[in-house]
Amino acid sequence: MHAGDEEGWGLRVPKREAEERRQDLIARGLLDRSRRPRADGADLLLPLTEEVPGAELALFAAFPPREDLPRHELVGGIAIMQDEDVAGAVRILASRPSLHTVVVPLSAVEGEFRTRSFRVLAGEPTTRTTVTEHGHRFAVDLSHAYFSARLSTERQRIRSLMAPAERLCDMFAGVGPFAIACSARASLVVAADLNPAAVSLMCENIGRNRVTNVLPVLADAAHLPRIFGRTFERVVMNLPMESAGFLPAAFALCRPGGTIHFYTLQDAEGGYLERIRAFPVKAVTERRVRSYSPGEWHAVYDIVVGE
Ligand SMILES: C[S@@+](CC[C@H](N)C(=O)[O-])C[C@H]1O[C@@H](n2cnc3c(N)ncnc32)[C@H](O)[C@@H]1O
């Protein structure tokens, strides 16, 4: 026991399941984020905000107050800081047992592959980590392939819209998070990307998640209609800077009555409606996904394809 340790309810979980169980407790509002999980042999005790079935009383240390830490974003076991602050990075690393590395970006998200370069400020010298999202585990490498944890709600939204046994085409699939999140509802998911590193990580993720109906394709999305024809009930286009140029390919892939989810960056409500209505469209709805910069946001247009 250490000075400052306090008794509270905890849930004992095997260490190898800890990240998944932690996410589940977060989703149910039961994880006490003010206290540090405690290792006990092959188990981890996760601190709880209240007693739940199977909980036990244990001693937990308090985390240093979060407001004292420099701003950062978490992707799996990696914290991405905004500024190059080595002392701050060391404190961030010590603040959570699940973290292995703290990095700072050296560039914006750039190039055809939408990647960034990073400098490691603390911890293991790697940009590779594992992200757990709604029961799936994704291998990601921040400097070699695009991944954004902020799109997890959007992935679940698309999944919830799917009818059983749909054929889905993810035109810009990255390491496969949309494709794999939606695979349980689909008969077939074709998941394409131009970046060989992204497709290689996607293959790893297909294996890790024991998914058997995702077809990874290393290809330019513009070529997909010639390979697969107009065979899909749903098409995901997540290349927000340049998706509009691929609308002809998306309409050539999506069957009448099917839906295209067109993600784009815009600075005016309905900014892309005119371009979309140049195609056969039965209905279209628009939503804000997240803000990008002052006056600009990522939007998604859900387009029901007409005859
Ligand atoms: C914004 S990322 C989205 C990745 C993924 N959908 C996700 O949410 O993590 C866009 C992806 O499109 C890929 N890409 C860019 N141009 C492409 C093209 N012409 N055809 C296929 N993929 C492309 C990039 O390599 C990148 O992985």
Side-chain angles (χ1 to χ4, degrees), residues 78-252:
I78 299 181
I80 306 173
M81 294 182 75
Q82 294 185 339
D83 302 307
E84 183 151 356
D85 166 5
V86 174
V90 171
R91 286 195 293 124
I92 291 172
L93 189 66
S95 71
R96 291 171 196 263
S98 57
L99 286 180
H100 55 77
T101 302
V102 183
V103 299
V104 64
L106 298 177
S107 72
V109 176
E110 62 191 6
E112 213 168 23
F113 297 163
R114 311 306 300 148
T115 49
R116 281 197 281 187
S117 52
F118 294 91
R119 173 168 297 139
V120 173
L121 298 179
E124 292 169 30
T126 182
T127 50
R128 205 183 142 97
T129 190
T130 298
V131 176
T132 305
E133 199 179 276
H134 295 276
H136 290 117
R137 284 164 63 76
F138 300 117
V140 307
D141 190 325
L142 299 178
S143 44
H144 291 112
Y146 177 95
F147 180 85
S148 172
R150 293 184 199 169
L151 290 171
S152 70
T153 312
E154 208 34 42
R155 300 191 248 278
Q156 293 308 309
R157 184 182 77 88
I158 305 297
R159 179 191 160 110
S160 73
L161 294 174
M162 291 177 69
E166 281 187 6
R167 278 160 297 186
L168 170 78
C169 179
D170 185 353
M171 294 172 73
F172 310 101
V175 304
F178 271 95
I180 291 169
C182 295
S183 61
R185 292 277 178 102
S187 54
L188 172 70
V189 182
V190 169
D193 204 285
L194 201 54
N195 176 359
V199 176
S200 169
L201 285 159
M202 193 195 323
C203 291
E204 195 176 327
N205 291 329
I206 288 168
R208 272 191 182 198
N209 292 287
R210 298 193 177 84
V211 170
T212 53
N213 60 346
V214 175
L215 177 64
V217 181
L218 176 63
D220 185 326
H223 296 155
L224 297 175
R226 269 186 281 146
I227 308 171
F228 297 100
R230 207 176 184 193
T231 48
F232 298 95
E233 280 81 33
R234 198 169 295 273
V235 173
V236 176
M237 310 174 68
N238 179 28
L239 181 66
M241 303 284 188
E242 289 143 55
S243 275
F246 290 87
L247 279 169
F251 276 87

Side-chain angles (χ1 to χ4, degrees), residues 1-46:
M1 176 164 176
H2 297 98
D5 283 5
E6 270 184 28
E7 193 177 57
W9 289 108
L11 192 65
R12 181 177 291 276
V13 301
K15 276 184 181 161
R16 66 190 136 71
E17 290 173 21
E19 186 51 25
E20 199 165 328
R21 303 288 293 275
R22 197 178 75 85
Q23 295 291 346
D24 177 56
L25 291 174
I26 291 171
R28 292 159 59 205
L30 290 171
L31 186 76
D32 181 350
R33 289 164 177 262
S34 67
R35 292 184 294 160
R36 224 182 254 279
R38 198 160 69 77
D40 186 12
D43 296 336
L44 203 63
L45 278 153
L46 297 173

